[in-house]
Amino acid sequence: MILFLTGASHTGKTLLAQRLLERHRVPYLSIDHLKMGLIRSGETALTPEDDAALEAYLWPIVREIARTALENRQHLILEGGYILFRWREDFTDRELREIRFCCLAMTRDYIEHHFADIRRYADVIERRLDDSGCTPAWLIAENERCRELCRRYDCPCLLIDGEYRVDLDGEALFPPVEPPRGASE
């Protein structure tokens, strides 16, 4: 099973992926790590600020990582903001049966009433080198953009409103993987 875990910045994507790893022993790949590895190694001239170009550059790689995991009957969480909301268009019906998608988004009300908490927990998993662009207005716009894309592409959106409680039923997402026929322990 593949889980595409995406959403607006500061919604807790990486923390949720880490919790799923710890609870269900399902590995995750941070697309931000992939992005920075490609940038720092010189494999691309793109910079971290080139969001639209990075999405177009990274998606074919992420898509094929997902396909490889599916072919090998491995569970994998692919986490980050560069997952296309039109992701279904790139997979076969058979592949789609083994893929789940979740977008995390916060409501305007949540952002306005919990902005200090959002900032306080921003580094809980990854250290943000420069978070000066994180303002309530920017977060509201980003979250509304993600919610609109979920509506447009009929993608599930886990909405954070009131109390921050994000948990996915890992048992349903990641059933035990059966070994291939003839494989020995």
Side-chain angles (χ1 to χ4, degrees):
M1 185 74 60
I2 300 298
L3 172 61
F4 289 129
L5 182 56
T6 193
S9 182
H10 293 74
T11 54
K13 299 178 298 290
T14 307
L15 177 59
L16 180 56
Q18 180 69 35
R19 286 185 178 157
L20 288 169
L21 165 79
E22 292 166 359
R23 187 178 307 152
H24 301 287
R25 296 184 175 167
V26 174
Y28 76 90
L29 172 64
S30 167
I31 299 171
D32 282 340
H33 291 179
L34 176 63
K35 168 187 79 176
M36 292 310 297
L38 291 165
I39 290 170
R40 288 179 174 168
S41 68
E43 292 297 318
T44 181
L46 297 171
T47 70
E49 289 76 35
D50 297 325
D51 277 337
L54 280 165
E55 187 175 85
Y57 178 71
L58 290 169
W59 176 245
I61 298 167
V62 171
R63 180 192 64 220
E64 296 310 316
I65 289 170
R67 277 208 172 98
T68 301
L70 288 171
E71 289 167 359
N72 287 294
R73 301 171 52 129
Q74 296 170 310
H75 296 314
L76 181 62
I77 300 164
L78 293 161
E79 171 270 320
Y82 297 102
I83 296 169
L84 298 184
F85 285 81
R86 61 157 191 79
W87 63 276
R88 284 186 190 95
E89 299 171 9
D90 291 346
F91 292 96
T92 66
D93 287 343
R94 183 177 181 181
E95 291 168 329
L96 289 172
R97 287 192 292 272
E98 299 297 320
I99 300 172
R100 301 294 176 267
F101 177 98
C102 181
C103 176
L104 301 180
M106 297 179 278
T107 65
R108 172 187 290 270
D109 187 62
Y110 183 85
I111 295 166
E112 289 172 348
H113 289 92
H114 298 284
F115 184 69
D117 291 333
I118 293 167
R119 291 298 302 263
R120 185 172 62 232
Y121 292 109
D123 288 339
V124 72
I125 296 291
E126 297 176 321
R127 304 249 188 279
R128 296 173 189 270
L129 298 178
D130 179 12
D131 206 20
S132 60
C134 180
T135 65
W138 178 77
L139 280 177
I140 290 167
E142 281 296 299
N143 281 270
E144 288 178 359
R145 181 186 68 81
C146 285
R147 291 174 69 189
E148 172 53 33
L149 287 167
C150 283
R151 283 189 287 274
R152 183 181 314 156
Y153 292 101
D154 194 28
C155 293
C157 183
L158 203 154
L159 199 57
I160 301 161
D161 188 21
E163 184 181 355
Y164 188 98
R165 294 188 52 81
V166 173
D167 193 15
L168 297 177
D169 182 4
E171 303 291 326
L173 284 172
F174 305 110
V177 176
E178 295 179 27
R181 290 183 183 203
S184 59
E185 302 267 334

